[in-house]
Amino acid sequence: MRPARLRHLVLPACIAAATVLAAAPATAQIPQQAAPAQAVAPAGVASTLDTLARQVAGSLTDPAARRTLVSAVRSGPVDLSALRADSTLAGRVRTADQAVHAAKGLPASTGSLVRARLADDGMAAALAAGAVPLVATAPGDDDAAAIVAYEPDGRRVLLDPVRVPTRPVIVVEVDVAKALPAGLDILRDALAQRGVAPAAASLASGGYWATKVNAVRLSDDQEPWIKGAAEIYSIVSGFGLDGHPKVDVVQMPYLDHDGTTYYPNQLLVHFSAYKYNLADVVMMEDDGDTNYQQLAQAIAAVLLTIADVGAYIPLVDAILSAIPTSWWTDDPDFVDAWYTLSTGSSGHLNGAGAHGWLEVSPYWVAPL
């Protein structure tokens, strides 16, 4: 069974105050002839991985290189920089890895980020029987009518994004599970440098109230089979004790698949950091393309223009409007949002975009 993933919302350029529009799923039939010529994608993660997928496919013409890669992916995802069968490919992997680091705003110390995996576990038997795999990367647009894969001789093959192909497919992608923690550290530091990180939780009064997530579920979406597990984080915002907007970033590493209920018992909002007993939550996914420096700059630029007027102002719309437009039109990273969680919020809370729900309860954090 293919892993399910989150369906992202595609918002228009002008975001309404609390309205989120869901994009319709693509149902176009895949033509049997060769794909028509397309414009070259802008430089970035998607185009880098597409080029690397074609190069990896080309390396499969060497039987030794093919055996090495096939053996590796049958055991699970593999760091492409760790393969040593093809020196030419190794250089191309290094180049691609450097480009991904630059596009995501991550330092080289993050480690190699380009990996390969089998698109579906059910393809392992065909690989073991000697089938020559196609190589592909997930399309930048989740509603793409086709997935472009490559034969070893360089020919392009269009695959249906809904039906899992019978022929094995090796997917070239960003190792987001490795990139996300490093990226969120950069995001927190960059926000703090710009004055919008929350103050540290204080126990001076003997404790404080927090919001605990008892359960969470995101909608089933029938997203393309080529996608892997999600990497989710939430941007929690409110007004700090100094009256200025503050942001906290909370990773939710357990939230891998849609259509599944998780029971994390995770503290999401720490109200000791806020002036009011209200905060907002914007849930995001790193789908491989997120540039954390750009995200921090965009959020800070907007929030620093908002003044405390003596009453709580929801910050969800300001954060959404700050996110670069290209993230909505190409590979949107927004999942859902929850407005005005309070110290008394409890029970089942649907997201504003109807793409998920949280079950929360107040939690008293006491000192040791």
Side-chain angles (χ1 to χ4, degrees):
M1 179 180 294
R2 71 172 179 84
R5 270 172 62 92
L6 309 178
R7 179 69 167 196
H8 311 296
L9 301 180
V10 181
L11 300 189
C14 207
I15 302 177
T19 302
V20 185
L21 302 178
T27 58
Q29 297 295 315
I30 307 303
Q32 298 301 312
Q33 65 272 21
Q38 297 179 346
V40 176
V45 173
S47 59
T48 296
L49 294 182
D50 180 73
T51 298
L52 183 59
R54 177 169 47 80
Q55 294 167 339
V56 170
S59 74
L60 300 182
T61 57
D62 178 351
R66 184 167 71 246
R67 285 193 299 270
T68 298
L69 180 57
V70 165
S71 175
V73 298
R74 285 176 57 196
S75 301
V78 58
D79 181 352
L80 282 174
S81 68
L83 294 178
R84 295 289 182 264
D86 186 326
S87 59
T88 300
L89 180 62
R92 290 167 172 172
V93 169
R94 284 194 299 272
T95 299
D97 195 55
Q98 291 167 359
V100 168
H101 278 79
K104 292 181 69 62
L106 293 173
S109 59
T110 307
S112 56
L113 292 177
V114 180
R115 73 176 192 176
R117 63 173 171 85
L118 201 56
D120 187 273
D121 291 342
M123 297 173 175
L127 276 185
V132 177
L134 297 167
V135 183
T137 190
D141 183 353
D142 287 335
D143 291 323
I147 292 169
V148 177
Y150 293 97
E151 295 272 10
D153 63 7
R155 286 180 297 153
R156 293 177 10 139
V157 178
L158 292 183
L159 302 176
D160 189 319
V162 177
R163 294 192 298 270
V164 179
T166 55
R167 184 172 174 184
V169 178
I170 292 175
V171 181
V172 173
E173 64 184 6
V174 174
D175 186 348
V176 184
K178 183 189 294 185
L180 182 60
L184 294 188
D185 285 342
I186 289 176
L187 179 58
R188 294 183 186 103
D189 291 344
L191 288 171
Q193 292 171 7
R194 291 164 175 80
V196 293
S202 173
L203 292 175
S205 62
Y208 67 91
W209 284 106
T211 297
K212 180 165 69 78
V213 178
N214 299 316
V216 56
R217 184 183 180 94
L218 298 169
S219 302
D220 192 8
D221 59 22
Q222 300 303 310
E223 204 174 47
W225 49 266
I226 198 170
K227 296 292 185 114
E231 293 295 338
I232 300 294
Y233 61 99
S234 288
I235 299 172
V236 181
S237 60
F239 284 88
L241 300 175
D242 60 2
H244 297 298
K246 302 294 182 181
V247 167
D248 193 12
V249 184
V250 180
Q251 188 176 0
M252 308 178 85
Y254 51 87
L255 195 50
D256 291 333
H257 305 298
D258 59 6
T260 302
T261 302
Y262 296 89
Y263 303 92
N265 291 318
Q266 180 182 25
L267 297 184
L268 183 61
V269 185
H270 298 268
F271 284 100
S272 63
Y274 298 112
K275 176 179 179 179
Y276 302 102
N277 72 329
L278 296 170
D280 301 320
V281 175
V282 176
M283 188 178 287
M284 305 283 289
E285 178 186 3
D286 183 346
D287 213 14
D289 66 333
T290 305
N291 184 296
Y292 302 98
Q293 291 282 1
Q294 291 178 1
L295 179 59
Q297 293 168 5
I299 291 174
V302 170
L303 293 187
L304 289 175
T305 67
I306 299 175
D308 179 15
V309 296
Y312 185 74
I313 302 171
L315 300 174
V316 168
D317 302 313
I319 291 174
L320 295 183
S321 66
I323 295 172
T325 303
S326 62
W327 288 17
W328 305 117
T329 57
D330 182 22
D331 189 12
D333 298 278
F334 172 68
V335 177
D336 216 327
W338 287 262
Y339 287 73
T340 56
L341 273 69
S342 74
T343 51
S345 292
S346 182
H348 184 99
L349 303 177
N350 290 320
H355 277 233
W357 54 260
L358 302 174
E359 183 181 289
V360 303
S361 62
Y363 185 87
W364 179 255
V365 181
L368 295 174

